[in-house]
Amino acid sequence: MTIIGSVAARRASAVGLALAACLTANPTPPTAFASAEPTPGAGLDRYYRQRLDWGSCVQGPDDTTGRDLEKAGAQCADVTVPLDYADPRGRTITVAMSRLKATDTRRRVGPLLINFGGPGGTALGEPPALRKVMKDVGARYDIIGMDPRFVGRSTPLDCHWPVGHSVFSAGLGRAGFDRQVALHKDLAAKCRATNASVLPHVSTRNTARDMDVIRGALGERKLSYLGYSYGSYLGTVYTQMFPGRHDRVVLDGAPDPRRYTPRLMRGVERENERALADWAVWAAERHAAYGLGRTPAQVLATVDRVVEASARGLTLGTAPDVFRVDDTQVPTLIFGGISEDTDSARAAVGEHLSVMARAAKGRPTRLSPEFKEYLEEVVTGRNSPTGSVQTAILCGDVAAPRDPERYWRDIERSRAAHPLFGPLTNNIGPCAFWDRPREEPTQVRQDAPALIVSATGDPRTPHTGAVALRGLLPSSRLITLEGANQHGVYGSYGSTCVDEKVNAYLATGELPANDRTCVKQTG
């Protein structure tokens, strides 16, 4: 799911990107578009007209996010929304938001709401970093950071999982898959046991409704939007549910919304194999630093040996920070690191694999603080709230197949051609054991003049998805970055060409006359 100061660090986090809408599953069948969305006057007046109590973002002495926001001049508020929009007089929840007000008030455009994907990622702390990326045009917007419902500082949801997310490989054989079936059945049961009353209301469509309440509570007629990865899907849904209420819309790392299902990763094997191969070239040139091989082929052979050894279990770290990982987890650790081709991201993968390669040989290993944190987020319950919400959104949007044998057949079909990534991208997840969603997924049937951004080698939301979305939105325009294996481009990758074109659109509101292409900068 990221590399704009804090913006980049959060959006490109390995786990988040592993899940951040890698949407290439089989298309869902066409369904009737949902009935018109409720508007103020349909029992929602008190939400749309509520007074927001803006104040300090600092919640305690250790709140670095709050202090950074305060230092930048931002304020925070909670907006009250209904848990169930079909029952606006029922239970309410809160959605946390921050606001960095426009300083160029003479040329003020309005609010720009941001979402960095996940799904379930926080954006409350990001306005200061984003303003720097936007350069002069940033001063013309009230930049709104939102923690979507049940995320971060909003009303919380935590299923108390023993792991930090739900994306793992099926492993090298049937025994690993059977362990995965048991794990994901248990994860779903834990969510049902702890949060049954709210799970039906955790969905993209309800988050889009919350966004429109925020627009109304801000007293604005229209809302501009910047979304990355899953956030670009959320932005697309908002344009369909609330046509005429959006202004300037940027969708970076956009999927084909027709292919949005909980089986997020199916179909991205080749993009990830290409990203891994390109990383192997980089690592081979740095054999002295990582010891993984002097040629790309040798590096990839080391990766294979690590995965094979993990079937017997790998011990990473030294006391007291010791982690035991297996062949269902190691592919995830690799997969999570190759979502971008920046030197810093590639160096992290090099370090991780160097540690695992030593462990595969039975040698003691020491963990950097960064790798220790990554392992804690993946294989322990430390990141349970994020994984819980992420999964609840996916399962709450579109139903998944329920028969475990269907997943096993898909895994085995994919394994021959894609032995490393096929068992991961086709694996079962908690949605196989989830209750069916309350609503049908949103169908894109209305045009929207959005600016879509995509890299040709995106390993998470393939470029074909952005091209497809461009076709569904005839008034939109597509900026393509050629030659980059990168998920999330604007403000994060250092492409002056892309950044200037996006900022020009945000400044003028005028889309390019035609689709544009930028080329990856080298040297």
Side-chain angles (χ1 to χ4, degrees):
M1 16 282 220
T2 285
I3 291 209
I4 322 169
S6 60
V7 168
R10 288 175 176 84
R11 198 177 69 250
S13 67
V15 176
L17 285 173
L19 293 176
C22 317
L23 313 174
T24 52
N26 293 328
T28 52
T31 56
F33 189 74
S35 58
E37 285 306 307
T39 58
L44 296 172
D45 300 66
R46 68 185 180 109
Y47 300 105
Y48 276 87
R49 296 175 183 174
Q50 66 185 287
R51 178 183 178 276
L52 298 176
D53 185 16
W54 293 102
S56 173
C57 297
V58 180
Q59 293 189 334
D62 299 325
D63 183 8
T64 55
T65 296
R67 287 202 305 272
D68 289 345
L69 285 166
E70 189 168 69
K71 183 178 179 181
Q75 291 185 307
C76 289
D78 288 336
V79 60
T80 301
V81 297
L83 172 66
D84 181 357
Y85 276 85
D87 182 19
R89 298 184 183 278
R91 178 179 170 184
T92 63
I93 58 174
T94 58
V95 172
M97 52 189 288
S98 60
R99 178 177 66 179
L100 188 59
K101 295 188 72 173
T103 55
D104 186 353
T105 55
R106 185 176 63 84
R107 298 188 297 166
R108 178 181 178 273
V109 177
L112 173 68
L113 190 145
I114 54 180
N115 182 284
F116 292 105
T122 175
L124 183 135
E126 306 301 350
L130 181 60
R131 175 158 287 178
K132 293 178 182 178
V133 167
M134 295 173 70
K135 300 189 181 299
D136 292 344
V137 71
R140 298 175 56 191
Y141 284 88
D142 293 346
I143 304 178
I144 307 297
M146 177 185 72
D147 283 355
R149 54 171 51 203
F150 305 111
V151 172
R153 299 189 184 188
S154 298
T155 297
L157 184 156
D158 184 2
C159 299
H160 303 292
W161 282 357
V163 291
H165 66 94
S166 60
V167 174
F168 295 102
S169 173
L172 299 183
R174 180 73 196 210
F177 175 70
D178 289 342
R179 293 198 305 272
Q180 285 291 297
V181 172
L183 170 67
H184 293 297
K185 186 175 183 178
D186 181 62
L187 296 181
K190 280 181 165 58
C191 282
R192 193 173 294 110
T194 55
N195 292 277
S197 64
V198 302
L199 291 181
H201 312 293
V202 188
S203 68
T204 298
R205 288 178 65 84
N206 278 334
T207 299
R209 293 176 178 115
D210 295 342
M211 287 167 52
D212 202 56
V213 168
I214 288 173
R215 177 198 58 78
L218 291 172
E220 301 286 349
R221 189 172 63 88
K222 291 188 176 184
L223 185 71
S224 291
Y225 181 81
L226 167 64
Y228 293 86
S229 191
Y230 163 83
S232 63
Y233 174 72
L234 171 62
T236 301
V237 170
Y238 183 79
T239 67
Q240 300 303 298
M241 293 177 66
F242 300 99
R245 302 185 203 176
H246 51 86
D247 188 3
R248 301 167 198 189
V249 176
V250 180
L251 307 174
D252 193 329
D256 180 349
R258 297 169 301 184
R259 303 176 76 87
Y260 177 82
T261 83
R263 303 190 73 184
L264 297 179
M265 263 65 76
R266 295 186 71 209
V268 302
E269 298 87 6
R270 287 185 175 84
E271 286 83 0
N272 282 276
E273 288 166 348
R274 182 166 58 247
L276 183 64
D278 288 349
W279 169 81
V281 173
W282 182 94
E285 294 170 350
R286 294 158 178 81
H287 175 71
Y290 303 109
L292 298 171
R294 299 182 184 278
T295 68
Q298 290 175 353
V299 172
L300 293 175
T302 299
V303 172
D304 290 341
R305 286 195 297 271
V306 167
V307 175
E308 290 170 5
S310 70
R312 300 183 296 274
L314 297 181
T315 300
L316 307 179
T318 54
D321 301 316
V322 177
F323 300 86
R324 186 77 173 171
V325 295
D326 63 20
D327 56 331
T328 68
Q329 297 161 328
V330 167
T332 298
L333 296 173
I334 298 169
F335 181 84
I338 57 172
S339 59
E340 31 175 305
D341 61 10
T342 61
D343 279 346
S344 60
R346 285 177 163 175
V349 178
E351 183 223 334
H352 299 171
L353 273 164
S354 180
V355 169
M356 289 190 285
R358 290 198 300 272
K361 295 178 180 179
R363 298 176 182 172
T365 62
R366 291 186 179 274
L367 304 177
S368 67
E370 293 77 17
F371 194 19
K372 172 180 173 289
E373 181 178 7
Y374 182 26
L375 288 165
E376 287 176 341
E377 290 181 351
V378 175
V379 303
T380 77
R382 169 180 163 176
N383 208 38
S384 172
T386 299
S388 300
V389 178
Q390 188 174 69
T391 301
I393 293 170
L394 296 171
C395 302
D397 281 343
V398 187
R402 306 190 75 82
D403 181 8
E405 294 306 315
R406 175 170 174 180
Y407 295 89
W408 178 245
R409 290 192 296 270
D410 290 342
I411 289 165
E412 290 297 274
R413 277 195 292 264
S414 181
R415 192 191 300 275
H418 311 290
L420 176 58
F421 294 125
L424 185 153
T425 58
N426 290 275
N427 196 22
I428 198 167
C431 297
F433 308 100
W434 217 263
D435 293 340
R436 292 191 63 83
R438 289 283 182 92
E439 297 185 82
E440 295 291 342
T442 300
Q443 304 297 311
V444 177
R445 296 180 175 174
Q446 305 192 55
D447 194 7
L451 185 63
I452 304 167
V453 181
S454 176
T456 53
D458 188 333
R460 293 298 177 266
T461 51
H463 182 62
T464 53
V467 173
L469 180 61
R470 167 69 175 89
L472 291 172
L473 304 175
S475 296
S476 67
R477 295 293 182 269
L478 174 62
I479 299 177
T480 297
L481 177 62
E482 287 191 343
N485 302 324
Q486 177 70 19
H487 183 61
V489 178
Y490 168 63
S492 71
Y493 193 62
S495 171
T496 302
C497 175
V498 170
D499 292 354
E500 287 181 349
K501 286 176 169 53
V502 174
N503 284 339
Y505 166 64
L506 292 173
T508 65
E510 297 180 3
L511 289 166
N514 302 293
D515 295 341
R516 300 297 174 89
T517 298
C518 297
V519 178
K520 176 184 175 179
Q521 298 167 209
T522 58

